Amino acid sequence: MAKVLMKGNEAVGKAAIEAGCRYFFGYPITPQSEVPEYLSSELPKVGGTFVQAESEVAAINMVYGAAAAGARVLTSSSSPGIALKQEGIGYISNAGLPAVIINMMRGGPGLGTIQPGQADYNMAVKGGANGDYHNVVLAPASVQEAVNMVMEAFDIADMYGIPVIVLADGLIGQMMEPVEFNYVRREGIPEKTWALTGKGKGERHNIKNLVIDPDDCEDWNHEHYEVYEKVEANEQAWEEYL
C-alpha cells in the first residue's frame, strides 16, 4: 500500500480498522480526541459500531462486554482518562479477555496539562488497578510505529487473552507523518471458543472474575503468571540506541 500523510491519532484509528477492529467505546480528551472523531466517521463505513460513552468508566466496561463476546474492540484516552479506566482494565485482565487500549499521554499529576507527557510508564507496565497482574505495553517512537503496534496489539491480545496498551503521547498523536498500512494477521491465533455469543445451542460459557476461595484465587493468579511468562518469552522487542 502506498504511503499516505496522516495525523497520528487518525492513523492509529485507521490501523485499528485495518486490523479488524469493529467496536470502539470511548470518551473525548485532549490530546487524543481525533482517535474517536476519526472512528466515529469511519467505523460505520465498514459495518462497525462507535459509541461515545457517558464517561471513561462506562467506556471501559463496554469494552469488557464486547471483549467477552469475542469482538476485536478498542478504546482510547489520555492520561487522566486512562486512570479512570484502571479498574475496568484490571477486570478485563482477570477475566482473560483480549482488548486494546491506546493512551496518548499528557502531563500530570491529576488533570495536569494538555501538553505531551511520558509519565504513565509505571501505571501502564505494572498495572494500575488492584491485584497482581500485568499488561502488555507497546511503546511507539513514531507515527509509523504506532500504526504497526496498534495492528500487532490486536493479534497479541487475541493470542494470549490479555489487554494490550499502546503507550504513545500527545506528540505522536498530533504530528503528521507519511505512513503505510500493511497488516498481515499472525498465524496461530486460537479460535475464541470461549466467547459469549448467545448461540443458544446448549454451550455454557463463563467469563469469570470473582474467585471466592483463597486457594482457588492463588491458583488463578498462578495461571495468569504462566500467560505472562509466555508473553515475556515470545513478545519482547526493543530498539537500542547508543
Side-chain angles (χ1 to χ4, degrees), residues 19 72 136 138 148-149 151-160 164 182-190 230-231 234-237:
R72 284 201 157 184
V136 176
L138 307 178
N148 296 345
M149 288 181 176
M151 293 175 170
E152 186 179 25
F154 285 98
D155 284 356
I156 292 174
D158 281 351
M159 179 70 76
Y160 300 98
V164 179
N182 296 316
Y183 174 63
V184 179
R185 186 183 177 99
R186 68 163 63 181
E187 297 180 355
I189 297 176
K230 292 177 183 177
V231 172
N234 299 332
E235 304 298 339
Q236 287 195 69

Side-chain angles (χ1 to χ4, degrees), residues 54-232:
E54 62 268 33
S55 70
E56 289 87 352
V57 175
I60 195 64
N61 283 286
M62 292 176 187
V63 169
Y64 187 2
R72 284 201 157 184
V73 58
L74 173 72
T75 191
S76 68
S77 192
S78 186
S79 305
I82 294 293
L84 290 169
K85 294 178 191 284
Q86 290 304 315
E87 182 183 51
I89 295 172
Y91 270 69
I92 293 167
S93 177
N94 192 38
L97 297 174
V100 177
I101 301 110
I102 296 173
N103 182 1
M104 294 294 181
M105 292 180 284
R106 58 190 264 179
L111 196 57
T113 176
I114 64 173
Q115 307 306 320
Q118 296 185 341
D120 296 352
Y121 172 84
N122 286 327
M123 179 171 71
V125 303
K126 300 300 183 184
N130 62 295
D132 194 11
Y133 75 100
H134 297 289
N135 304 304
V136 176
V137 181
L138 307 178
S142 66
V143 177
Q144 183 64 66
E145 278 197 358
V147 165
N148 296 345
M149 288 181 176
V150 167
M151 293 175 170
E152 186 179 25
F154 285 98
D155 284 356
I156 292 174
D158 281 351
M159 179 70 76
Y160 300 98
I162 194 170
V164 179
I165 295 176
V166 179
L167 189 66
D169 63 18
L171 183 62
I172 289 175
Q174 293 297 319
M175 73 178 179
M176 299 187 76
E177 183 179 303
V179 291
E180 55 186 351
F181 301 86
N182 296 316
Y183 174 63
V184 179
R185 186 183 177 99
R186 68 163 63 181
E187 297 180 355
I189 297 176
E191 185 180 353
K192 297 178 179 179
T193 56
W194 44 262
L196 305 180
T197 59
K199 290 179 180 178
K201 295 181 180 179
E203 301 99 327
R204 294 193 64 185
H205 299 163
N206 180 28
I207 302 299
K208 183 167 64 172
N209 227 296
L210 179 63
V211 186
I212 295 293
D213 184 83
D215 291 334
D216 290 343
C217 189
E218 182 178 359
D219 291 341
W220 189 244
N221 277 274
H222 283 302
E223 290 176 14
H224 280 280
Y225 267 82
E226 290 175 4
V227 175
Y228 303 149
E229 288 170 2
K230 292 177 183 177
V231 172
E232 186 176 353

Side-chain angles (χ1 to χ4, degrees), residues 17 22 38-50:
I17 292 174
R22 293 296 180 266
Y38 178 87
L39 290 170
S40 69
S41 171
E42 299 302 314
L43 258 181
K45 294 178 183 178
V46 294
T49 298
F50 170 91

